[in-house]
């Protein structure tokens, strides 16, 4: 609960200070219970109102921003669908086009810069927001995810970093359990956790026990397997997938806790290790993990980045989802093609497929051919029994919890929202330019 946000909204509505203090005091006591007195709650609430009043109505570049008119939830940011992809392309516009080997505008799994003949690959992943009450799972899955993003760029991970934030009333043990999840994966793969940060969410202003954070990774490579290297004529190979944070969340909140066990593995990482240690790596054009809105989202992003048509053939796809996971998704009517499966997707010339499959299978991981790239407009399509169907990402990834199914019903005018988001990004770019001019002239 964000007490600053509550106070700010009430003040904007013209609610008298004393009434806001009364409302806030009640909420503070409901969260902190017997750990605070009514006197403390009232004093805290009055201080909040004072701070909010002092920080309201400020003007100028340093204190204001151009609103988009859409909230994060309404626009689907973080929900790995069309809205999320559009927002990330606006971020890429704000960053611009720095002189790098792989930049954010390519929407790849990680970025890369050249350094003394090698490529330094850097990436970061946020923990799954619904795993706040399950810190070990949160740490485990976010670490596995960030390592995947380094591996699929053809890089060897060399270091991890962690950033963890817990709200004011969260137990300190959460950061320990989370760190245990991070280092369990890191140590198993021989990648050390070398630095990080630990803070409270919103400092004193956010009550409750919510946890959020991220894990970043750094890797080194001599051969990049970025999406832009995909060529017409390449084939798509995909490994089996059991899911990670998304599948674990779906299982926990939909009453299938036994399915979580399926997600505790290192199959993806070990398949990548085998490829990096083999000559097969040089025959791979691109790799990615099936996460961003599922195969629907990743195929779409690949087609956009490589400027070609991606055809996905469904014939073998269901067999690549672990049976227990697939049974849960079917029971919950969740589209398995629109949810993160954490499978490895490899794109390579057809003549290299046999060796790639041999190496991956030597690591004990199943891999099959599931499609191809061809000349054509940058789009992704699905072939079902020879019939071509649309395979573009939906506004959000498949609704995989009861709450998400409700949220997914809230439809708004996407084109209208995009215009507001684009306008806000334009304003941010203009502000950046003003600040750069100021900094360069000082």
């Amino acid at each position: 609960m964000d007490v600053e946000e509550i106070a700010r909204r009430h003040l904007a509505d013209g609610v008298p200070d004393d009434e806001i203090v009364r409302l806030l005091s009640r909420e503070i006591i409901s969260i902190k219970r017997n750990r605070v007195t009514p006197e403390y709650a009232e004093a805290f609430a009055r201080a909040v109102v004072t701070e909010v009043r002092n920080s309201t109505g400020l003007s100028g570049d340093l204190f204001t921003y151009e609103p988009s008119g859409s909230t994060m939830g309404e626009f689907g940011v973080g929900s790995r669908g069309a809205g999320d992809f559009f927002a990330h392309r606006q971020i890429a516009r704000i960053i611009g086009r720095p002189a790098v080997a792989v930049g954010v505008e390519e929407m790849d799994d990680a970025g890369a810069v050249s350094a003394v003949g090698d490529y330094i690959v850097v990436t970061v992943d946020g923990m799954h927001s619904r795993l706040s009450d399950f810190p070990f799972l949160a740490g485990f899955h976010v670490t596995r995810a960030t390592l995947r993003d380094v591996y699929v760029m053809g890089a060897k991970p060399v270091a991890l970093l962690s950033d963890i934030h817990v709200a004011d009333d969260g137990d300190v043990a959460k950061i320990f359990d989370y760190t245990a999840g991070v280092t369990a994966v890191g140590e198993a793969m021989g990648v050390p956790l070398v630095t990080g940060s630990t803070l409270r969410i919103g400092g004193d202003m956010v009550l409750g026990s919510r946890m959020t954070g991220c894990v970043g990774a750094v890797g080194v490579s001599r051969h990049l397997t970025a999406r832009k290297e995909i060529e017409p004529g390449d084939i798509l190979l995909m490994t089996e997938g059991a899911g990670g944070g998304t599948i674990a969340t779906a299982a926990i909140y939909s009453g299938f806790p036994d399915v979580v066990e399926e997600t505790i593995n290192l199959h993806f990482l070990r398949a990548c290790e085998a490829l990096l240690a083999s000559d097969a790596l040089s025959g791979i054009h691109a790799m990615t993990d099936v996460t961003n809105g599922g195969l629907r989202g990743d195929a779409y992003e690949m087609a956009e980045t490589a400027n070609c048509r991606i055809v996905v053939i469904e014939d073998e796809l269901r067999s690549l989802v672990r049976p227990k996971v697939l049974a849960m998704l079917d029971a919950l009517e969740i589209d398995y093609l629109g949810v993160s499966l954490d499978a490895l997707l490899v794109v390579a010339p057809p003549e290299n497929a046999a060796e790639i499959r041999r190496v991956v299978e030597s690591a004990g991981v199943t891999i099959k051919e599931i499609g191809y790239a061809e000349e054509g407009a940058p789009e992704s399509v699905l072939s079902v029994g020879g019939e071509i169907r649309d395979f573009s990402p939906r506004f959000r990834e498949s609704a995989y919890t009861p709450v998400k199914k409700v949220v997914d019903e809230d439809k708004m005018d996407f084109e209208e929202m995009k215009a507001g988001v684009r306008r806000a990004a334009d304003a941010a770019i203009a502000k950046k330019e003003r600040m750069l001019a100021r900094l360069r002239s000082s």
Side-chain angles (χ1 to χ4, degrees):
M1 180 182 70
D2 188 337
V3 292
E4 180 177 7
E5 175 75 5
I6 293 171
R8 204 172 289 282
R9 286 174 180 259
H10 283 318
L11 278 174
D13 290 340
V15 178
D17 287 14
D18 286 345
E19 178 64 13
I20 298 174
V21 169
R22 187 186 68 79
L23 292 169
L24 282 181
S25 297
R26 185 179 64 194
E27 295 296 335
I28 292 164
I29 290 171
S30 73
I31 295 291
K32 294 188 176 290
R33 298 180 181 176
N34 60 352
R35 289 184 288 121
V36 301
T37 64
E39 293 76 18
Y40 173 91
E42 181 178 345
F44 186 93
R46 287 197 181 281
V48 170
V49 173
T50 297
E51 291 190 9
V52 169
R53 279 205 174 279
N54 288 341
S55 59
T56 296
L58 302 177
S59 60
D61 274 351
L62 299 180
F63 303 111
T64 62
Y65 60 89
E66 175 76 22
S68 72
S70 298
T71 68
M72 295 282 282
E74 289 168 347
F75 202 68
V77 178
S79 295
R80 300 303 184 248
D84 191 49
F85 299 150
F86 184 84
H88 278 82
R89 293 201 178 276
Q90 304 315 300
I91 294 172
R93 287 178 56 220
I94 296 166
I95 293 170
R97 291 180 172 270
V100 297
V102 178
V104 292
E105 76 278 359
E106 292 166 38
M107 306 297 284
D108 225 308
D109 295 282
V113 296
S114 299
V116 199
D118 290 328
Y119 295 106
I120 306 300
V121 174
V122 183
T123 190
V124 65
D125 270 279
M127 61 160 270
H128 199 290
S129 57
R130 295 303 308 280
L131 293 178
S132 170
D133 289 327
F134 309 93
F136 183 88
L137 285 175
F140 181 95
H141 283 304
V142 69
T143 306
R144 206 177 61 168
T146 199
L147 287 178
R148 285 199 310 265
D149 286 348
V150 170
Y151 276 121
V152 297
M153 296 297 287
K156 174 73 174 175
V158 295
L160 292 166
L161 57 95
S162 172
D163 184 33
I164 180 70
H165 295 232
V166 181
D168 195 59
D169 300 287
D171 194 297
V172 174
K174 277 195 167 186
I175 62 177
F176 302 150
D177 206 47
Y178 175 84
T179 303
V182 172
T183 52
V185 176
E187 290 181 29
M189 298 307 298
V191 186
L193 176 61
V194 298
T195 189
S197 173
T198 304
L199 294 169
R200 286 178 299 154
I201 298 173
D204 302 308
M205 291 295 197
V206 176
L207 310 184
S209 59
R210 179 65 64 181
M211 180 182 80
T212 188
C214 66
V215 173
V218 179
V220 181
S221 175
R222 289 188 177 274
H223 170 69
L224 291 178
T225 49
R227 293 173 180 176
K228 65 182 179 181
E229 303 301 331
I230 297 171
E231 298 178 356
D234 284 348
I235 62 166
L236 278 63
L237 301 165
M238 192 172 99
T239 67
E240 61 184 338
T246 297
I247 294 299
T249 296
I252 290 168
Y253 290 103
S254 301
F256 292 78
D258 55 315
V259 174
V260 174
E261 191 69 35
E262 296 288 307
T263 69
I264 306 300
N265 64 74
L266 299 175
H267 300 334
F268 184 112
L269 306 186
R270 286 177 174 148
C272 289
E273 279 280 341
L275 286 171
L276 262 62
S278 74
D279 293 335
L281 182 67
S282 61
I284 294 174
H285 281 166
M287 295 194 290
T288 192
D289 53 346
V290 180
T291 52
N292 294 332
L295 192 54
R296 289 180 182 276
D298 282 306
Y300 167 81
E301 285 190 327
M302 287 163 51
E304 286 276 305
T305 299
N307 195 34
C308 64
R309 189 172 191 248
I310 299 291
V311 181
V312 175
I313 303 169
E314 193 181 29
D315 299 2
E316 299 271 27
L317 282 176
R318 285 180 65 86
S319 69
L320 289 171
V321 186
R322 293 286 285 272
K324 204 168 185 177
V325 173
L326 185 61
M328 178 191 75
L329 294 176
D330 286 346
L332 297 173
E333 298 183 340
I334 297 171
D335 174 21
Y336 79 102
L337 295 175
V339 72
S340 298
L341 295 174
D342 294 36
L344 170 63
L345 195 60
V346 179
V347 186
E351 62 268 22
N352 299 335
E355 179 61 10
I356 293 167
R357 292 183 64 165
R358 185 195 68 76
V359 172
V360 171
E361 288 168 354
S362 73
V365 179
T366 300
I367 184 170
K368 296 181 179 180
E369 184 175 338
I370 58 100
Y372 54 89
E374 64 180 12
E375 294 277 3
E379 63 174 352
S380 52
V381 297
L382 181 68
S383 173
V384 182
E387 177 189 346
I388 296 297
R389 300 179 184 177
D390 176 65
F391 199 49
S392 55
R394 294 166 178 164
F395 182 64
R396 294 185 177 93
E397 62 190 325
S398 299
Y400 56 86
T401 69
V403 167
K404 283 190 175 293
K405 289 182 185 293
V406 175
V407 172
D408 206 40
E409 294 174 0
D410 184 22
K411 300 289 192 277
M412 302 181 71
D413 187 325
F414 186 37
E415 291 304 317
E416 184 179 319
M417 289 193 295
K418 280 167 64 176
V421 169
R422 189 182 291 108
R423 183 186 65 248
D426 289 341
I429 293 169
K431 179 186 287 189
K432 182 184 81 168
E433 294 305 320
R434 289 195 297 272
M435 288 295 118
L436 281 171
R438 171 180 161 183
L439 292 170
R440 286 167 178 162
S441 65
S442 62

